[in-house]
Amino acid sequence: MKSTLGTDMLLVRKRQKEKAFLVLATLAFLFSLIVLFTLIIDAFLDGLPRLNLKFLTSFPSRKPEEAGILPAMVGSIYVTVLTVLFAIPLGVGSAVYLEVYAPRNRLSAAIEASIATLGGVPSIIYGMLGLELFARVLQLGRSLLAGSLTLALLVLPIVIVSTRESLRAVPQSLWEAALALGATRWQALKDQILPVAFPGILTGIILTVSRAIGEAAPLIMIGALTYVAFLPRGVLSPFTTLPIQIFNWVSRPQKAFHANAAAGIIVLLAITLSLNALSIVLRNRLEKRTPRTL
């Protein structure tokens, strides 16, 4: 009888702890949402009056009412596209090798641990690496190519980890069935495994785009310009991006420049959400076309 009462008391205490934890987690979630929406609403209230076609199609100026974000907007799109072109093939290929072909030994374990560690390295460290490797050693200077390669290194761990998790999510029975029918490992991977895992890989691409388009610290380290009155003419051209332009405007004392920064934040949010929405639509379509596995 006493043991039954003791068990019931333990169950009651566990349920109370679970409820308390749920309440704390819910409050933390609501607090984060309130802060986020407060910042977004504040940016919209300050930036919407400044947001117009002239603002989107004008070059920066020392006069806040004449300043625009065209070079920064074009630079952000160029840098993001180049980063994706560099990071996705290299990251997906590395993940496929580590997950499918690499032998299970100490070297593979060390590489996997290094990739997991690199995912938590501050972005400013990648900026210092890009400054030394791409800007100085390879003599790429303050170019789009140097900035894109630096951001590609930054987001590479995200691509590798998300791709490996997507490959692991594919049922082992699909591998076994393809190999039992006489397919080689490459044929099974190309025709069966990757099409099933691709929606998950696309999720990693979404995270890559979101990370790349919002980074400023690595680009500042390699010497991206804060004032650009021209559009990039090639991958070796100097450039700026929206986060750097916003940082430049926020650092100025005039309130009119702060309104420009708020308008730039709105544009950056619109570009990021548009690219993410496009990736999500593509992922959903691929999931519908992909046959369900047992």
Side-chain angles (χ1 to χ4, degrees):
M1 186 69 178
K2 292 182 179 180
S3 61
T4 304
L5 291 174
T7 303
D8 292 340
M9 290 295 295
L10 288 176
L11 290 175
V12 170
R13 289 178 182 176
K14 287 183 178 179
R15 290 173 182 173
Q16 290 176 347
K17 291 180 180 178
E18 289 178 358
K19 290 181 180 179
F21 178 76
L22 180 61
V23 170
L24 290 176
T26 303
L27 290 176
F29 174 70
L30 292 176
F31 177 77
S32 302
L33 281 183
I34 291 172
V35 173
L36 175 63
F37 281 111
T38 300
L39 293 174
I40 293 176
I41 292 172
D42 182 66
F44 270 81
L45 291 176
D46 293 339
L48 277 180
R50 185 69 183 88
L51 196 59
N52 51 43
L53 184 61
K54 182 181 179 181
F55 179 75
L56 298 176
T57 57
S58 298
F59 292 89
S61 173
R62 288 185 172 84
K63 298 179 180 179
E65 62 277 3
E66 298 179 1
I69 59 167
L70 181 61
M73 187 167 57
V74 173
S76 287
I77 295 174
Y78 281 1
V79 168
T80 303
V81 171
L82 288 173
T83 300
V84 170
L85 290 178
F86 291 135
I88 300 305
L90 184 59
V92 172
S94 300
V96 168
Y97 173 77
L98 290 173
E99 192 64 28
V100 179
Y101 295 102
R104 304 303 175 191
N105 51 29
R106 292 183 178 179
L107 179 60
S108 298
I111 292 174
E112 293 177 4
S114 299
I115 292 172
T117 303
L118 288 173
V121 173
S123 59
I124 192 69
I125 304 300
Y126 287 97
M128 296 170 65
L129 174 63
L131 173 64
E132 183 62 30
L133 178 60
F134 301 125
R136 293 178 179 174
V137 175
L138 298 181
Q139 296 183 354
L140 296 177
R142 303 177 177 183
S143 63
L144 274 170
L145 187 58
S148 301
L149 290 172
T150 302
L151 290 182
L153 290 180
L154 173 65
V155 301
L156 196 58
I158 301 175
V159 181
I160 295 175
V161 171
S162 61
T163 301
R164 293 193 68 187
E165 292 299 327
S166 301
L167 292 173
R168 290 173 182 173
V170 177
Q172 185 66 25
S173 58
L174 194 59
W175 275 105
E176 296 171 353
L179 296 176
L181 290 173
T184 63
R185 185 181 294 186
W186 166 246
Q187 289 173 334
L189 178 68
K190 175 173 65 72
D191 298 329
Q192 302 297 328
I193 306 305
L194 283 179
V196 175
F198 192 72
I201 296 174
L202 202 55
T203 302
I205 296 176
I206 295 173
L207 296 175
T208 300
V209 171
S210 301
R211 181 73 183 274
I213 201 172
E215 283 292 343
L219 301 180
I220 292 176
M221 281 300 301
I222 67 169
L225 303 178
T226 57
Y227 184 89
V228 175
F230 55 87
L231 296 179
R233 297 184 178 90
V235 294
L236 296 179
S237 174
F239 72 102
T240 190
T241 61
L242 278 171
I244 295 177
Q245 185 65 71
I246 292 169
F247 172 77
N248 181 29
W249 281 335
V250 170
S251 62
R252 299 195 178 192
Q254 298 92 332
K255 291 185 178 180
F257 280 116
H258 296 174
N260 288 351
I265 291 172
I266 297 173
V267 175
L268 182 61
L269 284 174
I271 295 175
T272 304
L273 293 177
S274 298
L275 292 175
N276 287 350
L278 178 61
S279 301
I280 292 172
V281 169
L282 292 175
R283 183 187 65 186
N284 292 337
R285 289 188 177 181
L286 288 171
E287 286 179 346
K288 291 179 181 179
R289 294 180 181 179
T290 303
R292 294 183 180 273
T293 57
L294 296 176

